């Protein structure tokens, strides 16, 4: 079976980054449809937040600040830099946490 032998791909130099997973069952597809519908509703009702799906759950956080251009209104640079640094740190923390969870699952 393709799925049974898919674990052998990691030993191949050419296909070491290829992963194969089974298709969603009809029940999983229905659950995903409901989750996406709930996400769309949340995006519509709470536009001030950034919403996304992660591990089968709806997650929310503040929007990342956009990069400033010379046309932007002048604001205190240190405040803007601080908010940008905090947003970047939050993104890095979320990415690291997800990476750490994926490693933990592989070690189980």
């Amino acid at each position: 079976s393709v799925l049974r032998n898919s674990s052998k791909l990691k030993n191949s130099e050419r296909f070491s980054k290829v992963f194969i997973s089974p298709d969603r069952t009809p029940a999983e597809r229905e659950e995903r449809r409901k989750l996406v519908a709930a996400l769309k509703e949340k995006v519509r009702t709470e536009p001030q937040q950034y919403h996304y799906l992660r591990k089968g759950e709806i997650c929310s956080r503040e929007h990342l600040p956009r990069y400033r251009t010379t046309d932007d209104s002048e604001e205190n640079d240190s405040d803007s830099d601080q908010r940008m640094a905090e947003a970047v740190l939050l993104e890095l923390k979320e990415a690291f946490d997800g990476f750490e969870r994926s490693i933990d699952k592989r070690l189980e």
Side-chain angles (χ1 to χ4, degrees), residues 37-108:
L39 175 67
K40 287 180 180 180
E41 178 65 19
K42 194 163 190 139
V43 166
R44 188 183 67 73
T45 59
E46 299 176 27
Q48 70 279 10
Q49 296 279 312
Y50 173 71
H51 307 286
Y52 55 97
L53 296 177
R54 177 176 281 170
K55 306 273 186 192
E57 294 181 6
I58 298 175
C59 302
S60 302
R61 65 164 171 75
E62 290 184 27
H63 281 284
L64 290 176
R66 64 185 176 89
Y67 290 102
R68 290 181 50 190
T69 65
T70 55
D71 296 337
D72 288 344
S73 63
E74 293 299 320
E75 65 176 291
N76 188 333
D77 282 342
S78 64
D79 289 344
S80 175
D81 291 345
Q82 180 67 29
R83 283 196 310 277
M84 178 133 348
E86 289 171 0
V88 169
L89 285 173
L90 177 65
E91 280 291 309
L92 287 171
K93 182 184 180 316
E94 288 176 357
F96 180 76
D97 289 346
F99 178 71
E100 191 174 40
R101 282 190 298 272
S102 70
I103 289 175
D104 290 344
K105 282 186 177 182
R106 289 180 182 182
L107 294 176
E108 290 177 352

Side-chain angles (χ1 to χ4, degrees), residues 3 21-33:
L3 287 175
S21 62
D23 291 335
R24 290 188 175 115
T25 65
E28 290 170 329
R29 288 194 299 261
E30 182 60 31
E31 182 64 30
R32 178 72 178 191
R33 272 190 216 101

